[in-house]
Amino acid sequence: MAAFQMSREWIGIQQFPPATQTKLLEILGKYKEEDVSSLTVLVMGKGGVGKSSTVNSVIGEKAAAVSTFQSEGLRPSLVSRSRSGFTLNIIDTPGLIEGGYVNDQAVNLIKGFLLNKTIDVLLYVDRLDVYRVDDLDRQVVTAITDAFGKEIWKKSALVLSHAQFSPPDGLNYDLFVSRRSDALLKVICAGAQLKKQDLQGSSIPVILVENSGRCHKNESDEKILPDGTSWIPNFVKTITEISFNGNKPIHVDKKLVEGPNPNEKGKRLIPLIVAFQYLLLMKPLVRAIKSDVARESKQAWEMRDSGLASRKT
Amino acid sequence: MGDGAEIVNMSEGEEKKLPEDRISDEQVEKNELVGSDEASDSDNEEEIFEEAIGSQEAPKTEPFEVDGLHEDLRLEATPENFKDEHEVVDDLEEVSSNESGVKDSKTYHSIVGESHGEVNVQDITTGEAERDLVTPKMNDDKGEAGEEISHGQIDSSLDVVENSEKATCSGSNLAGEDVNMQNGNTHSFPENGIISVSALSEETRNDSIEDINWEEKADVSAGMETEEEIGGGEGTNKNCSENGFVCINNVSGEQRNGETGAGYSSVKMASGDKSLNDSLEILNVGTSSPLEKSSPEEKGEIEGHSSSGFPGVTCREHETVQNSNVRHDVQQSPQRNKDLEKQQGSRVNIGPEITVSPHVEREFEVVSSDSRTESVSSLPPARPAGLGRAAPLLGPTPRVTQQPRVNGNVSHDQHQQVEDSTAETDEHDETREKLQLIRVKFLRLAHRLGQTPHNVVVAQVLYRLGLAEQLRGRSGSRVGAFSFDRASAMAEQLEAAGQDPLDFSCTIMVLGKSGVGKSTTINSIFDEVKMSTDAFQMGTKRVQNVEGFVQGIKVRVIDTPGLLPSWSDQHKNEKILRSVRAFIKKNPPDIVLYLDRLDTQSRDSGDMPLLRTIIDVFGPSIWFNAIVGLTHAASAPPDGPNGTASSYDMFVTQRSHVIQQAIRQAAGDVRLMNPVSLVENHSACRTNRAGQRVLPNGQVWKPHLLLLSFASKILAEANALLKSQDNTAGRPFAARSKAPPLPFLLSSLLQSRPQAKLPEEQYGDGEDEDGLDESSDSDEESEYDQLPPFKRLTKAEMAKLSKSQKKQYLDEMDYREKLFMKKQMKEERKRRKMLKKFAAEIKDLPNGHSENVEEERSEPASVPVPMPDLSLPASFDSDNPTHRYRSLDSSNQWLVRAVLETHGWDHDVGYEGVSAERLFVIKEKIPISFSGQVTKDKKDATVQLEMASSVKHGKGRSTSLGFDMQNVGKELAYTVRSDTRFKNFRNNKAAAGLSVTLLGDSVSAGLKVEDKLIANKWFRMVMSGGAMTSRGDVAYGGSLEAQLRDKDYPLGQCLSTLGLSVMDWHGDLAIGGNIQSQVPIGRSSNLIARANLNNRGAGQVSIRVNSSEQLQLAMVALVPLFKKLLGYYSSQQMQYGQR
């Protein structure tokens, strides 16, 4: 794991209500047990779904610039906070969608930014209170997959923001959440070309998040979701689980950033293919031709031609 | 505040629906305006505002900044202006009440352009001003002239708007009483255009105010206390012009005159060409009335301002003036003025009072300057000042590129023009009745939706209806007949009675991204589950029609499948939209509701592909009639930058702005400003006691949404009504009545036409007209023959002569030439006499010269040729059609040739029509001339047909009969006229004539008397007077023309003419005069000076020098000279031409 230098003390954690703090510290203790000194979280998603806000909520301070109506620009930003020897790095990325397309430039910027870093957790953020999934979602997922490989989805979680929300049509909240997350997960599977067995045992967890200042609080002043759970500890806990879920973290190296070199691809197969061609294709062909020639008398020029042809081959 | 925003939005919404013509026409204008606005005086505006505010007892409004971009402006301005909703409402009430007075305004809401919207805002804000505002409107009914034609309408309406604004400002001042802006500041109050107001306190005389139109005002219904106020005027001056309307000087002059009608001319950018052509004409305006009546200083000032030499404009101006006289008005084009003003940087000073507007309105005529105009103006010396005739110049000057018509009729171009301006619609009760019904209907709708007339949207619509109605209404007295109050009362009554089903249905088409809640919104509208929805599935798979009743109002909603935001999905969207298009083909929606979520942040322009696709499929016009609906409106605004929640209203505003901006960008039309309505479909949405869903800002969204939709439908209905009215106007035999352009008819009647003559008499003009000549010059009979023989020198020989010798030689030559010509003429005369005597076989003389008749009148010396060439152009441009094509001379008795349009496109083939002429002779006694011409340019075709015949009975008495048929605008005018001449004395010829014209469905009859006095060989005078009547409408006119010729006419080239004409119509007196003089300078040059002036103060001076020598370079020196001259007489413009 790459070490990140400029990590500041995680002061924001003190902003949290004591109950939350306790839970967080408890979780962080787990890292100590495992002797993990840092965790890198990559946050990705469409624009305007609340990525930066989520980062801010979790960090407990206004670390990432948020503006309602303007997009942040294309540069990813790294927020890293350390608390008693443990460093949490969160990489906030710009929205990947620009004008109906996946913004390849943004993706490349992110990749470059992540060079030589290791991603322990990918958070794919989308809104809970959107009803439909569309091609854009699939494109975003595909773009992420293309950038980091589909393995990254094994270290990922689906974050649904705007979780404080009452579903329409009198739907049950839990039902809504599950349907919404199912829909998104389906998109992710499709976009990442994950097969069922790929995800076996490690299905992508869903984290609900509510970043608004209007988020309900429980009696101990924790921000809670409509289902009553306090989401920040839950969020951190889920991240922790993912980081320890046994799958290898994704190390972003040069190769990954630059993508596969087409010149390298399948190099080893070349002799095989040549042999295959020689043995299975050329031989029978030559034989067939020869027999054909033997059987039939031909014009002189034809014989010359066929001779040439066979030699070429 | 929320409502304030709505108002604004609303107004914008209307814009959208403006019909295309507005778009096309306005665009140009607008662009210009916008451009100029920016430059101009935002500072000043503020000033004005501040003053105005200061003057108001309780200033309610804050000055709002006017941007170059109005859209922005509105949006921004809104909050400020509408802080106090109540206030606004009150004001509106006022407005409406006033309106009611006005009453029969015509709704032409299409007119409502940007300016409109703005105006509205403004009006609303300046509560007090309202009354005044109304006043002008009412006056316009006078409308007499009114002729705005359909083309013109838009423009004219703009004018009105302007005026209203003007009024507004003045109103506010008045309220303030004694606000004198005497400090000579120029205030501009431009919305779209410029209003420049300047008050020169010193010069201002309060008296001048004069109640400009007292009478009119009196007519004006209640609530116009304006008189006193205005009278008291308190020296406030304001001219505000909107859209470039300039009230400028004219106003002041006018006011002074009090009696004269409007000194103000409204511009009409009638046909799309508005911009350039019109603008040139503005110049005239400047010179207005001050010349006549105002005090010297003012004159100076005004002049200074208005005319900054625009050399070369003259020609056109001529035309203008001409037209204007006919129609009694001067045209000006706004932009130009504006420019003018700016250029000069000078203040326009205006008379003290700003009473301004009434006049303006009333005069208002639209003269369209389209290409036609130009062509007319190309007949250079023709009636410079619109005063009937001016004697044609002698010699080469009149380079008439178009063949004169046989009967000397005014060219069709002119007709057309006139008609354009005259097509103003008459009062039409039926229409107003319908409008009233629409108003009632709308009030009922509003009532059912639980909205009071105080609701901003309702108020806006009513205001617009009223305004449009006024724009089209004419008589102030009738304005009171249908009032808002009555409409309101009627609506309430009908609603209370509960019978009389409301005849209204509205079709709303819902478009939007998938999952934003289209179907759900529909369910909410009907309050029942009409469409099945599913949060996670694409609920609507195909286009569907949903019908139902909301509060008893039939509403039909077209639900469409959701669109996909991804670029790669656009082909799917396209498919969906195409199916939608097919679906709505039969039954187009009244309004489009574009839904998006309030709580998404489409900052990544993610909607752009989708919006583009919508526009690709439906065209940008779909947005002209669209409402943006923001669903999930109850969602909480996101946290602001400081972590606290941002205000809901701010959030909504910003979000709306984002979407509107996206739409504008996608449509490529910066003017789009779709009204925004909020929608919340969530079952958990807060409700009020009545069970209506209420948004966080307290708004009950559903009625608002429906009201917006209905409003646009209503306005569209009104628009359609008025439009259809226009259309009918265009048809020749429409049932609609229309005031014939009396002044025009009259002036054409007054024109004296040569009588048709037998071929053998063709050249007898001299006798006929110049009876004196014959007898007088029998003395010098053989002078020429008595001269010693003379040998012409060759060029080489000439070169050898000394200067003085050369001079002598040339003088001698001239002298001999003259004598020779005289001799020839004499011989010709003799020959003719002979011929007459033996009137036997004269038929060998060429036929078909009838077209020359008119020319011959003034230049009998011209030698007729069978097929006269077109006059050659001044340039040697080889591409000129005249050089390229010649007419063939056939032996056919029909003289057929192409009609050249000289002012076509550069190097275009200028032949646009065919003319045919023939002279028939019946019984060898009665000549009948026939000439017809058909031209067709890119825009329209015109036909002109003339037949004339004359019978001589007895010595010196003849009667001619004629029939004309020609296009006047879109209609054909048929005229039958007859005219009898007596030659009772040697020196006096009298003529009386009658004419009947059928134009459209109206018949006008006219009578004229003419007397021609020939004092001696050199001086003659023609006086004529006449009246034209139609439907109780009478126009009187008269003209006087005096002509002083060279002593040795027709050889000499000296000629001076003086023309005066008077026209009175609807109490508008138009007087114009022109003077023209042609003097030969030296051997080869000719100076022609011409000046004209009318009682509006518009006039021009033109000086033209023709030279056949290389004097050009020297003439250049005259340019600064004249410029200087203009500095003194700035009101005049000059034309400086040289050939």
Side-chain angles (χ1 to χ4, degrees):
Chain A
M1 294 188 193
F4 295 95
Q5 299 90 341
M6 37 164 295
S7 61
R8 303 209 327 240
E9 191 63 19
W10 191 352
I11 311 168
I13 204 168
Q14 290 157 5
Q15 307 289 324
F16 293 129
T20 306
Q21 279 190 45
T22 321
K23 286 177 195 162
L24 286 181
L25 292 175
E26 189 182 312
I27 294 164
L28 293 184
K30 204 172 165 193
Y31 284 97
K32 268 203 180 128
E33 286 170 21
E34 300 280 333
D35 197 20
V36 174
S37 69
S38 78
L39 181 72
T40 304
V41 177
L42 174 63
V43 182
M44 295 188 90
K46 289 194 287 188
V49 293
K51 294 182 297 297
S52 300
S53 299
T54 304
V55 171
N56 292 342
S57 300
V58 172
I59 295 293
E61 59 187 283
K62 194 176 162 290
V66 174
S67 63
T68 307
F69 290 100
Q70 283 153 22
S71 69
E72 325 71 18
L74 289 177
R75 292 210 58 84
S77 63
L78 171 68
V79 179
S80 95
R81 294 287 180 272
S82 53
R83 172 84 189 183
S84 55
F86 172 76
T87 306
L88 177 64
N89 303 301
I90 300 181
I91 297 162
D92 184 22
T93 64
L96 291 181
I97 295 296
E98 178 74 40
Y101 287 115
V102 168
N103 190 336
D104 290 330
Q105 195 194 357
V107 174
N108 286 330
L109 273 172
I110 295 169
K111 282 207 285 188
F113 186 83
L114 291 174
L115 185 60
N116 292 327
K117 296 189 175 87
T118 301
I119 303 167
D120 296 306
V121 175
L122 168 70
L123 297 179
Y124 179 75
V125 185
D126 206 341
R127 295 177 64 144
L128 174 64
D129 61 347
V130 169
Y131 310 123
R132 306 284 157 83
V133 292
D134 56 40
D135 199 50
L136 278 182
D137 297 306
R138 200 183 51 74
Q139 286 181 29
V140 173
V141 171
T142 309
I144 295 173
T145 312
D146 289 346
F148 304 109
K150 62 183 181 184
E151 290 303 306
I152 199 169
W153 293 106
K154 292 181 181 166
K155 302 288 284 180
S156 66
L158 174 62
V159 175
L160 293 176
S161 62
H162 297 76
Q164 178 171 300
F165 154 78
S166 66
D169 306 340
L171 278 177
N172 181 311
Y173 181 79
D174 291 332
L175 182 59
F176 184 89
V177 170
S178 73
R179 289 191 64 177
R180 169 74 179 150
S181 49
D182 282 350
L184 278 171
L185 288 177
K186 227 159 107 189
V187 167
I188 290 173
C189 290
Q193 292 160 340
L194 289 176
K195 298 196 189 73
K196 273 273 148 42
Q197 62 267 27
D198 284 339
L199 279 177
Q200 227 165 18
S202 61
S203 67
I204 299 175
V206 176
I207 311 173
L208 296 177
V209 157
E210 175 55 60
N211 300 312
S212 163
R214 281 182 207 75
C215 188
H216 292 299
K217 312 232 167 109
N218 62 10
E219 59 285 351
S220 54
D221 210 21
E222 289 180 294
K223 285 186 175 178
I224 55 164
L225 298 175
D227 60 6
T229 55
S230 164
W231 68 267
I232 291 178
N234 187 37
F235 180 91
V236 179
K237 193 167 142 235
T238 312
I239 289 177
T240 312
E241 279 165 8
I242 293 169
S243 70
F244 294 129
N245 71 354
N247 288 306
K248 264 182 48 183
I250 307 298
H251 181 70
V252 182
D253 52 14
K254 204 147 190 269
K255 198 175 102 196
L256 192 55
V257 169
E258 286 171 359
N261 185 345
N263 288 337
E264 300 291 327
K265 199 171 179 181
K267 228 176 189 175
R268 288 185 199 148
L269 292 181
I270 291 175
L272 264 178
I273 291 170
V274 170
F276 167 80
Q277 284 179 336
Y278 179 77
L279 293 174
L280 296 184
L281 292 177
M282 203 187 98
K283 280 273 170 100
L285 271 178
V286 170
R287 218 178 297 132
I289 290 167
K290 278 188 177 152
S291 68
D292 201 36
V293 167
R295 249 187 285 134
E296 198 174 326
S297 69
K298 290 181 181 162
Q299 303 287 336
W301 62 269
E302 273 187 350
M303 297 187 54
R304 195 177 61 232
D305 271 3
S306 63
L308 281 174
S310 60
R311 226 175 296 144
K312 254 185 200 164
T313 321
Chain B
M1 172 124 164
D3 284 346
E6 285 158 29
I7 250 189
V8 172
N9 290 337
M10 185 60 202
S11 62
E12 255 105 36
E14 309 248 346
E15 278 170 40
K16 282 179 284 168
K17 35 186 86 145
L18 302 184
E20 294 94 57
D21 47 348
R22 170 212 148 201
I23 297 169
S24 57
D25 282 354
E26 218 168 349
Q27 218 151 5
V28 176
E29 202 175 357
K30 189 194 190 158
N31 290 341
E32 297 195 15
L33 293 177
V34 171
S36 53
D37 268 349
E38 287 168 358
S40 75
D41 359 27
S42 48
D43 306 353
N44 291 338
E45 289 163 25
E46 275 176 19
E47 239 177 284
I48 238 181
F49 260 107
E50 272 155 50
E51 297 214 14
I53 288 171
S55 63
Q56 284 175 339
E57 295 87 1
K60 311 168 177 181
T61 59
E62 299 187 2
F64 65 108
E65 312 106 29
V66 178
D67 279 354
L69 290 185
H70 306 292
E71 278 91 278
D72 292 345
L73 175 155
R74 284 179 200 154
L75 198 57
E76 273 135 12
T78 330
E80 296 162 20
N81 286 333
F82 296 96
K83 274 198 181 136
D84 189 333
E85 198 180 322
H86 281 287
E87 299 254 9
V88 173
V89 172
D90 291 345
D91 294 345
L92 285 174
E93 273 179 317
E94 246 182 271
V95 174
S96 41
S97 61
N98 282 339
E99 264 180 323
S100 58
V102 175
K103 155 90 61 3
D104 52 333
S105 44
K106 341 134 146 248
T107 328
Y108 194 64
H109 79 265
S110 63
I111 308 166
V112 187
E114 293 250 343
S115 55
H116 213 123
E118 305 218 324
V119 173
N120 291 343
V121 172
Q122 202 139 355
D123 291 345
I124 292 168
T125 50
T126 48
E128 263 107 70
E130 296 302 340
R131 300 187 166 238
D132 295 350
L133 176 152
V134 175
T135 326
K137 284 177 202 150
M138 307 191 108
N139 288 337
D140 77 341
D141 41 28
K142 215 80 171 56
E144 37 320 47
E147 6 286 293
E148 355 178 316
I149 296 197
S150 52
H151 298 289
Q153 260 160 354
I154 289 176
D155 302 336
S156 54
S157 57
L158 288 179
D159 298 352
V160 174
V161 172
E162 248 176 347
N163 292 334
S164 62
E165 246 188 14
K166 205 182 286 182
T168 315
C169 358
S170 60
S172 57
N173 288 340
L174 291 176
E177 304 268 335
D178 291 8
V179 178
N180 293 341
M181 337 231 319
Q182 302 195 338
N183 21 7
N185 289 340
T186 307
H187 299 272
S188 16
F189 193 19
E191 241 18 60
N192 286 335
I194 316 152
I195 301 176
S196 62
V197 177
S198 68
L200 285 195
S201 55
E202 309 92 304
E203 276 146 29
T204 26
R205 314 197 229 111
N206 288 341
D207 56 334
S208 58
I209 294 239
E210 226 42 352
D211 15 315
I212 314 207
N213 311 329
W214 281 117
E215 339 104 36
E216 290 176 13
K217 254 167 210 175
D219 300 353
V220 178
S221 59
M224 317 269 116
E225 354 73 337
T226 33
E227 290 189 3
E228 280 91 346
E229 285 182 31
I230 291 177
E234 310 315 315
T236 25
N237 293 344
K238 296 200 158 185
N239 271 342
C240 305
S241 49
E242 189 129 353
N243 282 343
F245 257 120
V246 183
C247 348
I248 313 198
N249 308 330
N250 284 343
V251 175
S252 61
E254 208 100 18
Q255 280 148 355
R256 281 181 191 255
N257 296 346
E259 75 264 4
T260 38
Y264 178 84
S265 53
S266 57
V267 179
K268 41 302 306 340
M269 339 228 326
S271 45
D273 345 4
K274 45 189 72 187
S275 48
L276 290 183
N277 291 342
D278 292 349
S279 53
L280 291 184
E281 289 157 10
I282 297 175
L283 303 180
N284 291 338
V285 176
T287 51
S288 54
S289 41
L291 292 184
E292 316 233 299
K293 301 207 173 178
S294 60
S295 63
E297 312 98 81
E298 268 187 306
K299 193 193 285 187
E301 299 256 10
I302 290 173
E303 288 170 357
H305 139 263
S306 63
S307 71
S308 46
F310 290 90
V313 182
T314 354
C315 218
R316 196 174 301 233
E317 239 169 342
H318 263 284
E319 183 60 14
T320 315
V321 173
Q322 203 169 329
N323 288 337
S324 56
N325 281 342
V326 174
R327 353 253 30 265
H328 303 258
D329 60 0
V330 182
Q331 8 169 308
Q332 28 175 299
S333 77
Q335 291 99 337
R336 190 37 168 240
N337 261 340
K338 194 196 282 190
D339 293 350
L340 195 68
E341 283 178 15
K342 280 187 198 156
Q343 284 171 9
Q344 304 230 337
S346 65
R347 287 80 194 275
V348 180
N349 49 343
I350 293 176
E353 303 19 261
I354 307 269
T355 26
V356 180
S357 17
H359 254 324
V360 176
E361 297 275 329
R362 115 185 233 232
E363 291 287 323
F364 162 113
E365 327 214 13
V366 178
V367 176
S368 71
S369 63
D370 46 16
S371 52
R372 288 286 166 198
T373 316
E374 290 177 15
S375 62
V376 174
S377 60
S378 69
L379 304 175
R383 322 195 205 130
L387 299 181
R389 312 157 269 171
L393 292 175
L394 296 178
T397 348
R399 291 200 164 250
V400 181
T401 35
Q402 279 182 326
Q403 303 95 340
R405 298 286 137 55
V406 175
N407 294 326
N409 265 353
V410 187
S411 79
H412 66 280
D413 307 288
Q414 198 171 5
H415 281 268
Q416 184 175 4
Q417 208 167 0
V418 171
E419 134 49 54
D420 275 350
S421 47
T422 52
E424 136 111 303
T425 59
D426 231 344
E427 203 77 349
H428 210 238
D429 284 348
E430 208 177 305
T431 307
R432 279 187 295 124
E433 199 104 35
K434 281 184 189 155
L435 272 176
Q436 182 69 359
L437 285 180
I438 288 176
R439 189 175 290 159
V440 170
K441 200 194 287 180
F442 182 69
L443 284 167
R444 290 181 66 187
L445 289 173
H447 181 86
R448 292 203 183 175
L449 293 173
Q451 307 288 321
T452 64
H454 298 218
N455 176 293
V456 267
V457 176
V458 179
Q460 279 283 310
V461 172
L462 291 175
Y463 174 71
R464 244 156 238 249
L465 286 173
L467 189 60
E469 193 175 352
Q470 285 159 28
L471 291 180
R472 315 199 19 126
R474 299 190 42 195
S475 102
S477 53
R478 297 214 210 158
V479 164
F482 297 103
S483 66
F484 161 75
D485 293 327
R486 260 187 61 188
S488 178
M490 203 190 291
E492 267 169 40
Q493 198 183 333
L494 286 172
E495 283 304 302
Q499 310 148 351
D500 189 27
L502 189 51
D503 170 31
F504 183 84
S505 74
C506 186
T507 304
I508 303 171
M509 179 169 82
V510 183
L511 281 182
K513 263 190 296 196
S514 174
V516 296
K518 291 180 296 302
S519 301
T520 322
T521 303
I522 292 171
N523 290 342
S524 299
I525 287 175
F526 294 114
D527 270 337
E528 58 179 297
V529 180
K530 291 260 187 187
M531 310 291 300
S532 69
T533 56
D534 185 325
F536 299 102
Q537 303 283 317
M538 178 91 90
T540 310
K541 298 267 185 351
R542 57 191 183 83
V543 192
Q544 274 168 314
N545 222 347
V546 189
E547 288 186 11
F549 289 87
V550 179
Q551 316 281 351
I553 304 159
K554 188 178 173 200
V555 177
R556 173 173 160 250
V557 184
I558 300 169
D559 192 14
T560 62
L563 304 175
L564 301 166
S566 160
W567 197 263
S568 57
D569 282 333
Q570 291 313 305
H571 63 278
K572 282 187 211 159
N573 284 350
E574 214 163 301
K575 232 165 98 189
I576 293 169
L577 290 172
R578 277 183 208 290
S579 68
V580 172
R581 191 173 60 182
F583 189 86
I584 64 173
K585 205 165 209 167
K586 279 172 284 171
N587 216 343
D590 298 311
I591 189 143
V592 173
L593 179 61
Y594 175 76
L595 289 179
D596 202 349
R597 288 180 62 153
L598 174 67
D599 61 347
T600 52
Q601 299 153 27
S602 62
R603 57 192 181 191
D604 46 12
S605 60
D607 297 337
M608 201 49 66
L610 183 147
L611 293 173
R612 288 250 164 79
T613 310
I614 292 177
I615 286 160
D616 285 347
V617 175
F618 292 104
S621 58
I622 190 176
W623 295 111
F624 294 148
N625 217 356
I627 298 175
V628 173
L630 293 175
T631 59
H632 297 75
S635 46
D639 292 349
N642 52 5
T644 60
S646 52
S647 101
Y648 179 79
D649 289 322
M650 190 60 78
F651 176 57
V652 170
T653 309
Q654 272 187 312
R655 178 79 179 123
S656 317
H657 189 70
V658 167
I659 293 182
Q660 285 167 339
Q661 189 63 42
I663 290 173
R664 273 197 286 266
Q665 196 183 335
D669 187 346
V670 290
R671 294 169 307 163
L672 282 175
M673 188 60 129
N674 299 87
V676 174
S677 180
L678 298 172
V679 172
E680 176 53 67
N681 302 315
H682 203 286
S683 47
C685 182
R686 200 152 58 91
T687 57
N688 62 11
R689 253 171 270 143
Q692 294 169 305
R693 287 173 180 159
V694 180
L695 298 178
N697 62 359
Q699 189 189 25
V700 183
W701 65 266
K702 200 170 97 185
H704 182 254
L705 172 66
L706 291 173
L707 192 62
L708 271 183
S709 310
F710 296 162
S712 42
K713 166 91 192 247
I714 285 281
L715 289 175
E717 248 174 44
N719 193 22
L721 173 64
L722 295 169
K723 228 185 176 172
S724 69
Q725 192 183 6
D726 287 343
N727 291 343
T728 52
R731 261 177 262 129
F733 296 104
R736 205 174 63 83
S737 63
K738 195 172 96 116
L742 287 185
F744 162 66
L745 295 175
L746 181 58
S747 72
S748 103
L749 169 67
L750 285 182
Q751 209 171 20
S752 91
R753 296 157 204 268
Q755 295 189 328
K757 294 192 172 67
L758 291 170
E760 60 267 29
E761 292 172 326
Q762 286 290 314
Y763 311 108
D765 264 344
E767 292 165 86
D768 213 28
E769 298 243 332
D770 309 337
L772 285 181
D773 294 7
E774 246 184 310
S775 51
S776 58
D777 52 7
S778 44
D779 33 352
E780 314 154 7
E781 193 61 48
S782 50
E783 214 176 319
Y784 181 74
D785 301 326
Q786 290 161 6
L787 289 174
F790 181 77
K791 181 180 161 248
R792 290 193 73 117
L793 298 178
T794 65
K795 217 170 182 182
E797 284 167 325
M798 279 265 289
K800 286 181 205 154
L801 296 176
S802 76
K803 227 180 188 173
S804 60
Q805 277 175 321
K806 207 188 254 175
K807 194 168 178 259
Q808 280 175 358
Y809 167 76
L810 290 175
D811 286 348
E812 179 67 18
M813 269 253 286
D814 283 351
Y815 180 61
R816 275 164 187 270
E817 257 171 30
K818 263 186 201 168
L819 288 184
F820 182 69
M821 279 171 68
K822 263 188 197 165
K823 184 184 148 201
Q824 275 188 327
M825 279 171 46
K826 233 164 266 164
E827 279 169 359
E828 171 76 14
R829 228 174 253 140
K830 256 191 232 158
R831 191 173 60 106
R832 260 187 244 139
K833 271 182 197 160
M834 297 274 287
L835 286 175
K836 253 189 195 165
K837 247 178 232 163
F838 318 96
E841 52 280 64
I842 313 156
K843 297 201 172 161
D844 53 337
L845 277 179
N847 272 330
H849 301 307
S850 45
E851 61 166 22
N852 284 338
V853 167
E854 183 156 25
E855 280 171 69
E856 275 167 355
R857 223 165 17 111
S858 52
E859 29 184 349
S862 71
V863 181
V865 281
M867 175 69 77
D869 283 333
L870 297 175
S871 62
L872 293 178
S875 79
F876 295 103
D877 182 357
S878 64
D879 280 342
N880 190 298
T882 320
H883 289 301
R884 286 195 285 169
Y885 309 102
R886 302 303 282 273
S887 301
L888 286 181
D889 180 15
S890 69
S891 55
N892 194 330
Q893 293 228 306
W894 283 93
L895 185 66
V896 178
R897 64 181 164 190
V899 175
L900 178 65
E901 166 62 67
T902 44
H903 289 256
W905 291 94
D906 256 2
H907 297 175
D908 199 358
V909 175
Y911 292 99
E912 292 189 330
V914 174
S915 73
E917 294 169 10
R918 174 148 184 200
L919 187 64
F920 302 89
V921 178
I922 296 179
K923 291 186 192 165
E924 307 206 334
K925 259 188 165 172
I926 304 174
I928 297 181
S929 74
F930 168 89
S931 84
Q933 175 169 320
V934 178
T935 55
K936 164 102 181 80
D937 63 9
K938 286 173 183 117
K939 272 189 219 147
D940 37 26
T942 59
V943 178
Q944 186 175 9
L945 185 83
E946 296 164 9
M947 291 177 67
S949 160
S950 74
V951 185
K952 279 198 174 172
H953 33 91
K955 180 82 176 150
R957 210 177 298 175
S958 65
T959 299
S960 67
L961 252 175
F963 171 74
D964 296 347
M965 182 175 93
Q966 60 198 341
N967 275 87
V968 175
K970 291 174 194 144
E971 299 180 6
L972 273 176
Y974 307 88
T975 306
V976 179
R977 61 191 147 67
S978 111
D979 173 0
T980 305
R981 300 183 184 204
F982 317 88
K983 187 173 167 191
N984 22 15
F985 301 104
R986 185 174 173 74
N987 294 349
N988 195 12
K989 286 186 224 169
L994 276 176
S995 94
V996 176
T997 300
L998 176 66
L999 172 61
D1001 58 342
S1002 67
V1003 180
S1004 349
L1007 173 70
K1008 77 160 174 181
V1009 179
E1010 182 183 295
D1011 190 58
K1012 184 187 245 181
L1013 196 64
I1014 302 172
N1016 55 33
K1017 196 172 163 188
W1018 315 296
F1019 183 72
R1020 62 184 54 203
M1021 199 158 75
V1022 180
M1023 289 166 292
S1024 62
M1028 198 87 191
T1029 179
S1030 167
R1031 298 186 184 169
D1033 206 5
V1034 188
Y1036 304 94
S1039 75
L1040 168 74
E1041 182 186 321
Q1043 194 172 41
L1044 184 63
R1045 284 170 167 168
D1046 202 333
K1047 280 199 187 86
D1048 44 357
Y1049 172 85
L1051 299 184
Q1053 297 270 305
C1054 264
L1055 172 68
S1056 298
T1057 59
L1058 170 69
L1060 273 179
S1061 81
V1062 179
M1063 187 76 76
D1064 184 15
W1065 188 36
H1066 282 301
D1068 282 341
L1069 189 64
I1071 305 173
N1074 72 355
I1075 184 162
Q1076 170 179 320
S1077 187
Q1078 179 180 359
V1079 185
I1081 315 175
R1083 183 165 293 109
S1084 52
S1085 305
N1086 227 339
L1087 175 74
I1088 300 163
R1090 184 163 47 226
N1092 63 52
L1093 187 66
N1094 67 10
N1095 66 335
R1096 305 262 156 70
Q1100 71 180 117
V1101 173
S1102 90
I1103 295 173
R1104 175 149 119 181
V1105 178
N1106 293 309
S1107 171
S1108 52
E1109 284 173 4
Q1110 297 296 323
L1111 284 175
Q1112 286 92 330
L1113 294 180
M1115 302 317 273
V1116 171
L1118 292 178
V1119 174
L1121 195 68
F1122 284 120
K1123 264 198 171 160
K1124 188 69 184 165
L1125 267 178
L1126 286 175
Y1128 298 125
Y1129 294 97
S1130 54
S1131 61
Q1132 299 152 337
Q1133 310 113 15
M1134 72 153 189
Q1135 175 195 26
Y1136 169 65
Q1138 207 174 348
R1139 285 188 190 171

